[in-house]
Amino acid sequence: MNRGVDRAQFKTLLEPYLKPHGIKELAADRGLRIAYAIMHLLESLKSDQASERTKALIALRDETLTAAKGAMRNNRARVLVQIGKELVRAKGDRCRQLALAHDFRRAAAGKIGFLRQQMRRYHLLEMPEEWNQIAFDDRVHDANSKGRKSATHLVMDAWIKGIRYLTVVYYDCVDLPVARELLASASILGIKVRIGIEYRAMHRGRFVKIVWCPGGLRDDCDIESLFKVDAVRELMEQGRAVRETRSEYVRAVIGAYNEHHRQSIRKEFGVMLPPVDYDEMVAAVGVDQPSVLHLGNYIHTQAMPLFEERVAALRQGADHADYDARAAIAMQVESLDALDVDTLVARYLSPDENRDIPDPDLPRDQGMPSLLSLTPAELTSRLRKAAHSSHLTLILADLDLEDALEILFHCQGRITHLEVFNTKHLDPGQTRQRMPFSQLQQALNEQNAVKLKRLIRGCMDDVRQRGGPDSEERLEILEGLLERFDRLLEFYRRVPLGTSIGSGSTGRSTRTHGMGFAVLETLPLRAQREAARLRPGDRIPVQCTAIRSNEYVMPRPTRGIWSGLIHMASQMSGLRRLVCRMCTRWRVEEYAVTETGGNLVALGGRRQEGNGLSLFKAEDSCRRRPSPGHLNTRLKNVLKVLAGFIPAFLTFYLTKDWWVLAYLGGVIWFSITGLRNVIQSVLGGGGLRRSPFLAWNDYIDWERISESLLYTGFSVPLLDWLCKSVVLDKGFGVTTATNPLLLYTIMALTNGVYISTHNVVRGLPREAAAANFFRSVLSIPIAMLFNWAVQGMLVLAGSADPMAVLQLWAAVISKLASDCVAGVIEGFADRRRNIAMRRWDYSEKLRQVFEIYSRLEIAFPTRDMLGMLNRPAEFIAFSRESNFNHVPEVIANALDLLYIMAYKPRAREALRQALEAMSEDEVAVFLASQQILREEQSVSMLFVDGLVGRNFAKGLSFYLTRYGAYLDDIGRMTAEALRKMAGNGAEVPSPDGIPSPGEDGITRPCQGYER
């Protein structure tokens, strides 16, 4: 953004078939790729850019999930996207952008404690890593109704908050492209989304609102099938006519604003706002038929520069004014600050302020669209016929209990849900008002005739007391309902009446909660404690019952005795947890309104009210004192090492007489820790069999080593001076001469307690803290072995007092033993993490490989596509002739797999495991799809055409020098996998079209490889 980078060089990097750990790493840094993807989402609000937004969302999801290292991967990815959004929005504030970029990198690979700190900063509750929480919102709006965000942007924000179930509500109709984008975006992020359309029906001279959610909509096919239904098409056409009346109202309000309200704002606030042109506003907001909220946001955007100029002028005047004048100026600034979007809409654009313009939300005697003349019974009958499997939600706002009873009875059970709460209007009075509706819902669902009869009689008494012109008619209807209330119970005997709870969020308001609610019991314990400290207004007065169920997934069966033993253990309840993977699932039942506080918590906090204007000039971010956490990483690492080395050196220098330990003790101690970290990182990444493209230091996390050295420095005075010398030697007389086993045991346990304690303080997982304590216990016999070995060496060297020397080196020996055990344990942990990441990489790429092959088989059912892939020149020529060109995707997938094998730790082991899990047909497809790399000209042209941007030389050079050896490797690996499938010793034929290895076992690539 700041350097004017040509975005064309990044555009291809958003293609869904290019994965983060693939060839595009040679084109741009991950931070740039994530920033570009977020920028694409935030800036592409126009409806014709939906496909670009979808590509950006896929790239953003993949980039953040792969950037998240260590534990809490999903939560880490949520934080990374949130920081990326803030970084893009901070355009122009370079210092804040640098701080956010630093936070991004720290969150990507940093400590869990810092990650949780960022969650609190951005008001994000921690979600379970299983991603099984009950988090939902049954009513939100995007830019195509009255919201601020596009459908893709809205879904992305819902995922950041942890929402898994979402209902997006539109007014009167929805367009097919909008529905497609919404479902596609939700599918990318794993959110179950429902499309709701709000209709209005006539009931006693006013409108009641009913939201229609067609069921069974999962992808484009379902959407297209729905829109092909004649009844649905007719509904959409009539809905567009209704929506046009809202557009006419917006046009009329613009006229009133230009003519009257601008003058009122000038007189009151001293700012003359520019007039609004309807067409310019439509182009700016990016929707064809904007709402009043769109208009208010557009006016506010135009007004903010003028407000800031006005405040700057008032600030200059206040510098030379007396006390009373400064107070008057301060009040003017406060009034300007309070004139935000909500205030603009309420004071100048609402129907109450424009009474001469017909309100589209009030019935009219004539000129009203036909769709608005239907009763609730007629409307619900028509909607149910259009889509039989659908949800119909009655909006309870402005309704009395007798209205709800009458509508439910006349609709004959077609109403499936009641919107019990909409937090846009949440207040204590609303809670008391909704209690009778909750009791009605419980009576119907429990089939409680006594309670239902009492509610109906109570409504009749209320009508008699209240009176009114229609009281007689109401009483007559309620008496008829009382005589046949058993029919109302029958309507909900099989399918209970559901509950809908929505926020009505538009992404604009500063006075209401944002979107999202979560059931507390389904969140981690830390998140539950965090929610308990929220403001009382953030707890929704609804109590629901959360039911948990555990599912055990057995490992894939294999041949041999071991598989049989695992199967037997999985049948025993006590051993099932050890051999099976457990999945926890939640479901929620029995929603009820309560006055004592429920177990629903709002995920979207309230934003700060106002425009951010102040009489006092805001301090420049570059003038503020920088946070210590934002220091340069290398400098910070050096300071950590120095902070740890000083106490270590001083301990040896002040307590040891022998010059070797006095001057070199700290160096030896640090060398043990540093060397152990280096060796475990290298071994975890592949060791001696690592990729030839990676140097040994490419596997090392220097920040992790510096932090390890920091804490190991403080362990020297603890172990060598306090534990060994003061407590054991002087206090109890325990030395290497008297009781070496007890000495090393106590030192190991002390070290284990220290390591576990600072692991918890640093915010590491409790599993890691427990494992580090366990490693100290294992180090006791290793320390004894080292002690005996050193003692033997001293005796052979002719030492006069070997026990005295051992006593001096006891702490170092204990440290060496502990680090040896840690090196093995953490090395295997690094190896496991690397292999897990490679499995994820290969699962994504192989899914794409098989998906493309399936599309080819479907498109050309009479062709032998497997044989054609084995002959890549023929496949490329055929694809160009058939106008079904998947060649770029096939090449990109092959290049990604080539890059992963060359540059990623433990890729070979992960690929071998993936091949062994495939069927023979899948192995053949995988091997055949890689043969396209032999076509140097086609692959090279794809690089030149911008596959990885304009700087393609590095990627092209890598491909030309590596693909031959790669094809040899995967040829041998697939042959080995097929041999295991067929049984050891079986001869595996070479697939057709693939060159056979020569006498030296190497498959010769095509001409030009040597060049």
Side-chain angles (χ1 to χ4, degrees):
M1 291 185 295
N2 293 341
R3 298 188 308 171
V5 177
D6 182 9
R7 299 184 186 180
Q9 64 176 311
F10 289 98
K11 191 170 184 180
T12 56
L13 301 183
L14 297 183
E15 293 296 337
Y17 51 78
L18 287 174
K19 290 300 178 181
H21 282 167
I23 194 71
K24 67 179 179 181
E25 284 194 349
L26 298 175
D29 180 79
R30 177 186 287 117
L32 282 175
R33 301 198 303 263
I34 291 178
Y36 179 61
I38 294 176
M39 194 162 55
H40 227 67
L41 286 176
L42 297 182
E43 294 183 356
S44 56
L45 290 178
K46 295 182 179 179
S47 57
D48 57 353
Q49 296 175 321
S51 62
E52 298 296 325
R53 288 194 294 268
T54 303
K55 289 181 181 179
L57 186 64
I58 294 174
L60 183 62
R61 176 203 62 185
D62 294 341
E63 294 285 1
T64 51
L65 284 175
T66 53
K69 299 178 182 178
M72 298 180 66
R73 186 179 183 189
N74 286 317
N75 287 287
R76 202 179 295 269
R78 294 168 58 211
V79 172
L80 292 179
V81 177
Q82 181 63 39
I83 295 176
K85 285 176 55 182
E86 298 295 327
L87 194 149
V88 172
R89 288 172 176 170
K91 182 178 181 180
D93 189 346
R94 181 173 177 78
C95 292
R96 175 165 166 75
Q97 283 184 311
L98 286 172
L100 289 168
H102 197 100
D103 289 343
F104 182 92
R105 293 186 179 274
R106 288 185 66 191
K111 301 184 294 292
I112 292 180
F114 176 76
L115 185 66
R116 287 178 171 142
Q117 174 189 336
Q118 293 297 305
M119 287 186 185
R120 289 190 293 271
R121 178 181 179 183
Y122 296 111
H123 310 290
L124 300 177
L125 284 179
E126 181 180 336
M127 296 295 163
E129 281 301 303
E130 290 184 82
W131 210 247
N132 59 354
Q133 70 275 9
I134 301 295
F136 63 93
D137 196 327
D138 293 328
R139 187 184 182 91
V140 295
H141 299 280
D142 66 10
N144 296 282
S145 54
K146 62 179 181 180
R148 179 176 58 88
K149 306 167 185 175
S150 66
T152 304
H153 189 186
L154 177 72
V155 170
M156 180 187 69
D157 279 1
W159 178 77
I160 292 174
K161 292 182 181 298
I163 297 173
R164 294 180 61 226
Y165 307 95
L166 192 67
T167 301
V168 184
V169 177
Y170 301 91
Y171 292 108
D172 303 306
C173 68
V174 63
D175 297 326
L176 181 59
V178 173
R180 283 176 174 168
E181 180 185 357
L182 180 62
L183 290 181
S185 303
S187 175
I188 292 168
L189 295 178
I191 296 177
K192 295 182 179 179
V193 69
R194 289 189 299 186
I195 299 174
I197 306 175
E198 182 178 289
Y199 292 100
R200 289 168 291 171
M202 288 290 297
H203 175 73
R204 297 193 173 279
R206 57 175 173 164
F207 286 135
V208 297
K209 300 174 182 178
I210 297 173
V211 177
W212 175 49
C213 296
L217 301 182
R218 296 179 297 273
D219 50 29
D220 288 353
C221 295
D222 297 331
I223 285 288
E224 290 177 2
S225 299
L226 177 70
F227 274 75
K228 288 179 181 178
V229 177
D230 293 337
V232 174
R233 284 206 305 267
E234 185 179 354
L235 275 171
M236 295 300 121
E237 290 174 1
Q238 294 183 356
R240 291 186 184 93
V242 176
R243 195 167 63 177
E244 187 61 35
T245 61
R246 296 182 183 272
S247 298
E248 294 173 0
Y249 176 77
V250 173
R251 288 179 182 271
V253 169
I254 288 176
Y257 167 80
N258 290 337
E259 187 174 351
H260 304 294
H261 299 314
R262 289 193 309 126
Q263 305 299 329
S264 300
I265 293 174
R266 184 184 63 81
K267 291 178 182 178
E268 183 174 355
F269 300 99
V271 178
M272 187 62 184
L273 299 182
V276 175
D277 181 81
Y278 182 85
D279 295 331
E280 291 180 0
M281 183 194 68
V282 168
V285 300
V287 293
D288 295 333
Q289 294 179 316
S291 65
V292 171
L293 283 177
H294 288 117
L295 174 60
N297 189 72
Y298 179 74
I299 294 173
H300 183 261
T301 303
Q302 286 187 319
M304 278 305 297
L306 301 176
F307 287 174
E308 292 170 354
E309 291 179 6
R310 176 63 175 165
V311 170
L314 291 173
R315 190 181 294 127
Q316 291 178 357
D319 293 338
H320 309 287
D322 56 16
Y323 178 80
D324 293 335
R326 283 180 64 88
I329 292 174
M331 292 183 61
Q332 294 182 50
V333 174
E334 288 179 5
S335 63
L336 273 176
D337 182 61
L339 191 60
D340 56 8
V341 176
D342 292 332
T343 306
L344 275 171
V345 172
R347 291 192 58 181
Y348 304 107
L349 309 180
S350 64
D352 292 338
E353 302 298 326
N354 298 277
R355 296 185 180 276
D356 55 333
I357 303 175
D359 185 356
D361 289 327
L362 294 179
R364 298 196 299 267
D365 295 333
Q366 56 184 359
M368 194 168 60
S370 59
L371 189 61
L372 297 179
S373 61
L374 301 176
T375 64
E378 295 170 342
L379 177 63
T380 55
S381 175
R382 185 173 175 182
L383 294 175
R384 183 57 64 87
K385 289 178 181 178
H388 181 73
S389 176
S390 57
H391 291 169
L392 293 173
T393 303
L394 177 64
I395 308 301
L396 298 180
D398 303 326
L399 290 183
D400 296 321
L401 183 60
E402 53 267 26
D403 293 316
L405 275 168
E406 183 179 346
I407 292 172
L408 290 176
F409 184 76
H410 288 158
C411 290
Q412 300 180 0
R414 291 187 291 270
I415 297 293
T416 60
H417 291 73
L418 297 179
E419 188 181 77
V420 176
F421 272 106
N422 187 326
T423 54
K424 189 175 181 180
H425 309 290
L426 185 61
D427 54 54
Q430 189 188 28
T431 303
R432 291 189 295 271
Q433 180 191 6
R434 296 300 166 86
M435 291 290 291
F437 294 101
S438 182
Q439 295 171 4
L440 170 62
Q441 184 182 21
Q442 290 179 351
L444 292 174
N445 291 340
E446 296 171 1
Q447 296 291 294
N448 191 327
V450 176
K451 184 184 291 187
L452 180 59
K453 186 175 181 179
R454 185 167 61 247
L455 286 172
I456 297 174
R457 288 186 177 275
C459 287
M460 296 175 67
D461 293 339
D462 291 341
V463 171
R464 291 191 187 97
Q465 292 178 3
R466 191 169 57 243
D470 61 344
S471 58
E472 293 297 329
E473 183 183 357
R474 280 183 177 272
L475 284 173
E476 183 179 349
I477 292 175
L478 289 173
E479 287 176 358
L481 176 58
L482 184 61
E483 294 175 358
R484 297 177 295 170
F485 78 96
D486 59 315
R487 291 190 60 191
L488 185 57
L489 288 172
E490 186 64 28
F491 293 150
Y492 296 99
R493 185 181 300 277
R494 296 177 180 83
V495 181
L497 184 61
T499 301
S500 175
I501 301 173
S503 64
S505 173
T506 62
R508 303 176 189 275
S509 178
T510 60
R511 292 170 172 78
T512 59
H513 287 95
M515 64 177 165
F517 311 96
V519 180
L520 281 179
E521 288 82 354
T522 67
L523 301 181
L525 290 177
R526 186 180 295 272
Q528 295 183 33
R529 291 195 294 267
E530 190 79 20
R533 294 192 289 267
L534 296 176
R535 295 177 302 178
D538 292 333
R539 297 289 289 270
I540 309 303
V542 174
Q543 183 70 35
C544 59
T545 304
I547 302 173
R548 172 178 175 173
S549 61
N550 296 328
E551 299 179 2
Y552 294 93
V553 182
M554 289 182 57
R556 177 178 291 188
T558 57
R559 300 176 183 176
I561 299 176
W562 182 247
S563 178
L565 293 175
I566 291 178
H567 179 74
M568 291 176 57
S570 66
Q571 306 304 314
M572 304 177 186
S573 58
L575 300 177
R576 188 174 293 131
R577 287 176 176 267
L578 300 177
V579 299
C580 298
R581 179 171 56 89
M582 188 179 73
C583 299
T584 302
R585 302 187 186 279
W586 292 92
R587 71 178 190 275
V588 176
E589 297 179 353
E590 300 179 7
Y591 289 91
V593 180
T594 175
E595 293 184 353
T596 58
N599 59 348
L600 281 186
V601 60
L603 297 177
R606 299 186 182 184
R607 294 184 297 171
Q608 183 178 1
E609 295 186 15
N611 296 320
L613 302 175
S614 174
L615 184 61
F616 304 100
K617 190 174 182 180
E619 185 181 4
D620 188 359
S621 62
C622 291
R623 295 179 181 271
R624 290 193 293 264
R625 179 179 298 175
S627 167
H630 291 145
L631 282 175
N632 175 271
T633 303
R634 292 182 181 178
L635 174 62
K636 190 163 56 177
N637 291 342
V638 171
L639 293 176
K640 287 180 181 178
V641 175
L642 286 176
F645 183 75
I646 290 173
F649 176 81
L650 290 177
T651 301
F652 283 107
Y653 180 77
L654 297 175
T655 61
K656 300 296 183 292
D657 296 328
W658 189 22
W659 69 270
V660 174
L661 282 178
Y663 290 99
L664 300 179
V667 176
I668 295 172
W669 192 279
F670 265 49
S671 298
I672 293 172
T673 301
L675 188 61
R676 185 261 299 176
N677 277 277
V678 170
I679 292 175
Q680 82 178 42
S681 298
V682 174
L683 291 179
L688 298 177
R689 301 176 59 187
R690 65 181 187 270
S691 169
F693 285 85
L694 295 175
W696 65 272
N697 54 355
D698 291 329
Y699 296 97
I700 297 173
D701 184 353
W702 295 107
E703 189 169 0
R704 173 181 170 183
I705 291 180
S706 66
E707 196 150 304
S708 180
L709 293 175
L710 168 66
Y711 287 99
T712 197
F714 289 98
S715 69
V716 177
L718 174 67
L719 295 177
D720 187 78
W721 176 69
L722 181 63
C723 180
K724 186 195 75 172
S725 301
V726 175
V727 177
L728 294 178
D729 188 3
K730 297 179 180 179
F732 298 97
V734 177
T735 65
T736 55
T738 59
N739 196 335
L741 178 60
L742 181 60
L743 173 71
Y744 288 119
T745 299
I746 294 177
M747 290 180 67
L749 293 178
T750 304
N751 190 36
V753 171
Y754 169 72
I755 295 174
S756 301
T757 302
H758 77 65
N759 283 348
V760 173
V761 171
R762 291 161 59 190
L764 297 181
R766 296 188 180 273
E767 296 81 3
N772 278 320
F773 180 81
F774 181 68
R775 103 184 186 197
S776 298
V777 176
L778 291 179
S779 71
I780 297 173
I782 307 296
M784 289 299 299
L785 288 175
F786 286 168
N787 183 78
W788 293 333
V790 174
Q791 181 180 354
M793 293 170 61
L794 291 172
V795 171
L796 292 175
S799 174
D801 191 359
M803 290 303 175
V805 177
L806 282 174
Q807 179 67 15
L808 291 174
W809 289 87
V812 177
I813 291 173
S814 178
K815 168 68 174 173
L816 179 61
S818 176
D819 277 29
C820 286
V821 176
V824 174
I825 294 176
E826 296 187 17
F828 277 107
D830 288 348
R831 176 182 180 273
R832 186 174 64 251
R833 282 193 292 268
N834 285 327
I835 291 178
M837 181 58 77
R838 298 294 82 73
R839 283 177 179 170
W840 189 85
D841 291 335
Y842 278 122
S843 66
E844 290 291 304
K845 290 311 303 181
L846 293 175
R847 179 187 60 80
Q848 288 183 312
V849 168
F850 298 141
E851 182 180 327
I852 291 174
Y853 180 74
S854 298
R855 292 206 298 265
L856 290 171
E857 290 282 25
I858 293 171
F860 308 105
T862 60
R863 293 276 186 168
D864 179 15
M865 298 310 301
L866 183 61
M868 194 174 293
L869 282 175
N870 282 323
R871 299 183 292 275
E874 180 182 343
F875 170 70
I876 292 173
F878 173 76
S879 297
R880 290 171 179 169
E881 294 173 359
S882 62
N883 293 325
F884 193 78
N885 190 10
H886 280 291
V887 172
E889 296 179 51
V890 176
I891 293 177
N893 287 336
L895 287 172
D896 275 352
L897 290 167
L898 167 64
Y899 183 88
I900 292 171
M901 176 72 83
Y903 278 99
K904 295 303 171 184
R906 296 291 177 182
R908 191 177 299 273
E909 291 92 329
L911 180 58
R912 185 176 289 110
Q913 294 175 11
L915 290 172
E916 291 175 358
M918 294 182 194
S919 65
E920 293 184 14
D921 291 336
E922 289 173 336
V923 171
V925 171
F926 163 72
L927 187 57
S929 66
Q930 305 307 293
Q931 304 310 310
I932 201 166
L933 294 177
R934 300 185 184 279
E935 293 300 311
E936 284 188 357
Q937 182 177 2
S938 298
V939 178
S940 300
M941 285 304 300
L942 198 61
F943 275 106
V944 174
D945 289 340
L947 176 67
V948 293
R950 292 183 176 179
N951 299 322
F952 58 84
K954 185 177 180 181
L956 181 57
S957 175
F958 161 73
Y959 154 70
L960 290 173
T961 56
R962 185 60 188 166
Y963 80 89
Y966 166 73
L967 292 176
D968 292 337
D969 289 342
I970 64 171
R972 283 189 287 266
M973 294 173 68
T974 52
E976 181 182 348
L978 291 172
R979 189 176 294 110
K980 286 186 177 180
M981 296 177 193
N984 291 331
E987 184 177 351
V988 179
S990 177
D992 294 338
I994 300 179
S996 300
E999 294 180 358
D1000 55 358
I1002 298 178
T1003 302
R1004 299 300 177 193
C1006 60
Q1007 211 170 17
Y1009 169 58
E1010 290 79 4
R1011 170 175 52 80

